[in-house]
Amino acid sequence: MSLNYNNPEFVIERDQDKCIECRVCARQCANEAHFYDEDLERMREEDINCVNCHRCVTLCPTNALVIKEYPLEYKKNSNWTGGMISNIQKQANTGGILLTGMGNPTDKKIYWDHILLNASQVTNPSIDPLREPMELKTILGRKPDKVEFDEEGKVKDLPPQLELETPIMFGAMSFGSISINACKSLAQAANEMGMMYNTGEGGLHEDLYPYKDRTIVQVASGRFGVHQEYLNAGAAIEIKIGQGAKPGIGGHLPGEKVGEEVSKTRMIPKGTDAISPAPHHDIYSIEDLRQLIYALKEATNYEKPVSVKIAAVHNVAAIASGIASAGADIIAIDGYRGGTGAAPTMIRDNVGIPIELALAAVDSRLREQSLRNKVSLVVSGSIRNSADIVKAVALGADAVYVASAALIALGCHMCQKCYTGKCNWGIATQNPELVKRLNPEIGVERVKNLIEGWSHEIKEILGGMGINALESLRGNRLMLRGIDLTEKELEILGIKHAGE
Amino acid sequence: MKKVYAREEYCLGCKLCEVYCVTNHSQSKDIIKAYKLEEVTSRIIVETKGAVSFALQCRHCEGSPCVKACITGAMQKDEETGIVDYDEDKCVGCWTCIMACPFGAVKRDEFGNKVISKCDLCAEEGEPACVENCPNAALIFEDREVEEVC
Ligand code: SF4
Ligand code: SF4
């Protein structure tokens, strides 16, 4: 087609007084937004290629670069915004589905920000976590209805459990959607911090076998890389039914990303598209799910907890109660802000419900039905900081999955272009030139620092509440108050309004 | 002795090591002035081919063919530190050392001056500037207790 009606999204501003023409920016930009003009003898830019990933800005040794939103304004219109118009232009150009990466960025209400935490004053003392022991240990898995001990003093008939040093795990991201260096960084950090990481549906790369005690292996609709050894390699198994960023939608890893290693790990031919169907073709009911859960338990000798991951959708509470009855040990619920390597924009931004509401509804439903001890609840999508985690635990979660935050620690700048395979930070890419930009030695340290910082903060917040073990906060919604919320929202969250 | 080792699996080929080498060997020690007002040649060379890149600099090897080849005595190996360095005032730009170096680690001055340029391990400072500023820890400065003998 002749003319591209789309304007650049960003403008690259280069301070020529500072630029030393070292060309670092040009070498680092996989989108070719910078180039050196031999005739003009200076650096120039191709704004339309810029995705605002900040790679050049971060590496420019003289701070000569600033990226800004393209200042072109459309005639003011609250309905036909610039974004709406440019989406239409893109589709009129290509006839394709609008694709995107990472989580829903729209400005819908973020409930975490409307929930406030409590602290002790006068009537009960707060605790100083630097002086007194503080327990964040979290144990996931089905708990027996009553506790009985055998002769050795061990709990009788205790189903398999997962022990975490902090209530945080790395959410499912497959090798394929992210690079091997990103996988290694997360796996090793999980190992050193006593957490878990999750393989996603990409199978388990050989290099990750050393971390198997800290691995949750996923079984998704594509069943990639699933075999007896894989199932037994991890500490737990997760059946992926859905994902917050694209509930009801399968996955598609384009053939270009299926190189030698991905092909080996996923057990599919090199260069072929890896398609995960939208449903599991053997699961059409809770009974079918039960069969798969027990097939996996059978395959692993009932030694591994089985988790079922679903997207937070309208009737999530009923679905979760079905999953609990079907024999799952853990239910993972992914909210509508959860991230993804690639999803249709319309789905990501319009399907599903907020995790805060889903979590409160599920926890309440499981309690009402006396099922709560039968499963642990893990929530995700999106946990942005330690306060979100504390709020999630008080709303009823046992632990959280963090994924986007971990990638940000590795260098991600949220440009949302994961689906292009050109991640300049070496994270969402399989291009060897880009993958090596992420040195796992540095990655491990950065991710560990993040988790350490968050764990300290959680202890501080708990101490402030006068609580010395996270266990005492689980489902303790009295520690929460709402602000700027309607009666209905408060009712669903099961919390009082501030001032009450 | 402590030397700079490249880990090509992590080298981005960004050439920031060259930028910081230039800056550290400038009069001003200021990155913008070093590039805009001075004529400084980087003593580290980043080799790139396709996805492979690594930074190369003098190996300060035992036997030092460049020292033997030097016609004016400008190139010397310090007995104590093991560092091979040259005296700019004595160098006449005959390029004999460039031909003698088996690693290709000696360069001509890039601004047309009749003088060579090579790594001095930033002898006065602790860690060489290239190592300190590599964004991906692709360069390490350590004593591997093996001498490269030429
Ligand atoms: S990285 Fe910075 S100084 Fe180097 S060429 Fe690009 S803008 Fe100029
Ligand atoms: S600074 Fe580091 S990553 Fe960049 S070219 Fe030099 S050695 Fe390679």
Side-chain angles (χ1 to χ4, degrees):
Chain A
M1 232 178 276
S2 51
L3 186 64
N4 180 0
Y5 292 0
N6 277 101
N7 300 308
E9 263 188 277
F10 304 102
V11 53
I12 302 170
E13 288 184 1
R14 189 186 319 269
D15 184 338
Q16 296 290 355
D17 286 342
K18 287 187 180 168
C19 177
I20 55 169
E21 278 121 37
C22 66
R23 308 185 205 183
V24 167
C25 49
R27 284 183 211 106
Q28 289 294 296
C29 184
N31 299 302
E32 299 177 1
H34 301 266
F35 62 97
Y36 183 74
D37 189 317
E38 303 279 351
D39 300 325
L40 296 175
E41 295 186 340
R42 64 175 174 88
M43 294 300 299
R44 288 181 54 200
E45 44 291 312
E46 199 65 83
D47 290 330
I48 201 147
N49 292 346
C50 176
V51 301
N52 199 7
C53 71
H54 291 187
R55 182 73 187 177
C56 57
V57 176
T58 312
L59 268 86
C60 171
T62 61
N63 297 322
L65 291 168
V66 180
I67 314 286
K68 291 190 177 151
E69 220 166 282
Y70 201 67
L72 181 69
E73 284 178 11
Y74 289 88
K75 185 174 168 78
K76 221 170 191 51
N77 191 325
S78 306
N79 189 34
W80 290 105
T81 57
M84 295 286 170
I85 295 171
S86 83
N87 276 347
I88 290 180
Q89 302 292 15
K90 273 187 213 157
Q91 291 188 288
N93 237 5
T94 63
I97 286 178
L98 294 168
L99 273 184
T100 187
M102 295 319 264
N104 182 343
T106 57
D107 55 8
K108 299 180 180 77
K109 198 174 217 167
I110 298 170
Y111 284 91
W112 299 131
D113 296 337
H114 291 265
I115 297 176
L116 299 171
L117 293 163
N118 196 24
S120 308
Q121 297 293 294
V122 183
T123 51
N124 54 342
S126 44
I127 301 170
D128 183 348
L130 293 176
R131 288 165 199 271
E132 287 174 59
M134 229 357 126
E135 190 65 88
L136 297 189
K137 194 175 283 281
T138 298
I139 296 175
L140 302 181
R142 175 172 288 248
K143 307 290 184 290
D145 290 334
K146 60 173 189 265
V147 185
E148 281 177 294
F149 296 95
D150 59 17
E151 302 81 58
E152 289 170 32
K154 284 203 184 130
V155 181
K156 260 197 202 161
D157 303 323
L158 186 68
Q161 307 284 323
L162 281 187
E163 208 178 301
L164 310 174
E165 294 305 321
T166 188
I168 310 169
M169 304 191 285
F170 298 128
M173 287 175 281
S174 68
F175 168 49
S177 75
I178 59 171
S179 66
I180 189 64
N181 285 356
C183 292
K184 280 185 197 164
S185 305
L186 297 174
Q188 200 183 323
N191 196 37
E192 288 177 29
M193 300 297 288
M195 308 159 58
M196 293 285 160
Y197 82 97
N198 188 313
T199 60
E201 53 183 304
L204 188 61
H205 190 276
E206 280 170 5
D207 289 359
L208 302 176
Y209 272 86
Y211 313 112
K212 54 196 173 70
D213 296 343
R214 292 290 160 191
T215 307
I216 298 179
V217 295
Q218 213 179 47
V219 174
S221 61
R223 304 284 154 90
F224 296 118
V226 176
H227 49 90
Q228 178 93 19
E229 197 194 346
Y230 169 76
L231 294 175
N232 280 291
I237 302 171
E238 182 167 273
I239 301 171
K240 178 198 175 186
I241 301 290
Q243 177 178 349
K246 42 178 174 179
I249 296 276
H252 179 174
L253 188 71
E256 303 91 72
K257 289 198 188 176
V258 182
E260 188 73 49
E261 295 297 309
V262 174
S263 123
K264 245 199 319 199
T265 311
R266 293 207 178 198
M267 307 197 307
I268 54 170
K270 219 171 116 179
T272 51
D273 291 11
I275 308 227
S276 301
H280 285 249
H281 284 303
D282 51 358
I283 303 179
Y284 282 77
S285 64
I286 290 291
E287 290 71 27
D288 290 345
L289 175 65
R290 184 181 178 82
Q291 283 197 7
L292 181 59
I293 293 174
Y294 278 91
L296 295 174
K297 289 192 176 193
E298 197 68 45
T300 52
N301 205 18
Y302 294 85
E303 281 163 4
K304 322 260 176 196
V306 173
S307 162
V308 176
K309 175 179 173 181
I310 52 167
V313 289
H314 297 181
N315 50 350
V316 64
I319 299 167
S321 119
I323 296 173
S325 325
D329 302 273
I330 299 166
I331 303 178
I333 311 170
D334 195 18
Y336 84 145
R337 283 189 188 276
T340 176
T345 313
M346 289 305 125
I347 306 270
R348 183 195 67 177
D349 295 354
N350 295 287
V351 180
I353 64 169
I355 191 58
E356 302 89 327
L357 302 180
L359 164 60
V362 168
D363 181 68
S364 305
R365 178 71 68 95
L366 294 178
R367 281 174 198 278
E368 279 160 27
Q369 300 182 334
S370 305
L371 288 170
R372 188 62 186 85
N373 66 306
K374 298 216 186 300
V375 278
S376 290
L377 276 185
V378 177
V379 299
S380 56
S382 85
I383 302 291
R384 305 158 301 164
N385 53 44
S386 58
D388 288 355
I389 300 177
V390 176
K391 291 170 191 176
V393 170
L395 276 180
D398 288 285
V400 300
Y401 268 139
V402 301
S404 301
L407 297 192
I408 293 173
L410 289 178
C412 162
H413 279 59
M414 277 284 151
C415 69
Q416 305 179 26
K417 289 286 186 290
C418 331
Y419 63 96
T420 63
K422 289 193 194 163
C423 175
N424 271 320
W425 293 89
I427 301 168
T429 178
Q430 299 302 321
N431 174 347
E433 268 178 71
L434 300 176
V435 171
K436 68 177 177 178
R437 293 182 181 185
L438 177 58
N439 178 346
E441 289 164 22
I442 299 175
V444 169
E445 282 314 305
R446 296 186 57 87
V447 174
K448 271 170 56 189
N449 283 343
L450 175 75
I451 300 301
E452 220 164 78
W454 280 10
S455 301
H456 278 309
E457 287 173 348
I458 295 174
K459 288 181 181 173
E460 287 285 347
I461 298 172
L462 285 182
M465 291 173 173
I467 294 175
N468 66 2
L470 193 64
E471 205 50 54
S472 318
L473 182 71
R474 284 221 166 78
N476 186 350
R477 299 195 197 175
L478 282 172
M479 285 297 169
L480 305 175
R481 289 291 186 274
I483 185 164
D484 282 339
L485 294 175
T486 64
E487 280 297 333
K488 191 73 195 174
E489 289 167 325
L490 292 167
E491 181 193 319
I492 296 168
L493 288 167
I495 62 175
K496 293 183 169 169
H497 199 277
E500 277 188 90
Chain B
M1 69 180 286
K2 270 185 154 183
K3 289 184 188 176
V4 178
Y5 293 95
R7 301 196 292 173
E8 79 240 30
E9 67 272 36
Y10 300 130
C11 175
L12 316 172
C14 65
K15 305 199 182 183
L16 274 171
C17 45
E18 296 190 2
V19 171
Y20 287 98
C21 180
V22 165
T23 308
N24 206 37
H25 291 92
S26 67
Q27 290 293 323
S28 61
K29 311 265 177 202
D30 177 289
I31 184 165
I32 295 177
K33 287 185 194 161
Y35 272 84
K36 300 216 184 233
L37 305 177
E38 300 181 40
E39 293 184 339
V40 190
T41 300
S42 164
R43 294 154 186 238
I44 187 165
I45 308 158
V46 178
E47 301 277 6
T48 311
K49 190 172 182 192
V52 183
S53 58
F54 62 89
L56 171 83
Q57 70 301 104
C58 170
R59 305 315 304 151
H60 302 275
C61 63
E62 256 340 291
S64 321
C66 60
V67 174
K68 288 189 195 134
C70 179
I71 59 166
T72 63
M75 190 78 81
Q76 295 291 343
K77 184 173 176 72
D78 189 303
E79 290 302 324
E80 236 166 80
T81 61
I83 294 174
V84 176
D85 201 6
Y86 63 101
D87 183 338
E88 214 168 292
D89 297 333
K90 285 193 190 157
C91 175
V92 292
C94 68
W95 317 139
T96 317
C97 54
I98 297 183
M99 287 187 285
C101 174
F103 299 103
V106 187
K107 279 171 82 177
R108 286 208 254 180
D109 180 278
E110 280 166 359
F111 299 90
N113 303 313
K114 290 281 261 173
V115 63
I116 58 114
S117 155
K118 72 170 281 303
C119 168
D120 59 357
L121 283 181
C122 295
E124 283 130 54
E125 289 99 275
E127 191 145 270
C130 54
V131 176
E132 206 178 310
N133 290 288
C134 173
N136 210 30
L139 292 174
I140 36 180
F141 187 50
E142 63 185 14
D143 191 349
R144 290 191 177 169
E145 283 167 14
V146 280
E147 288 302 337
E148 282 126 313
V149 184
C150 299

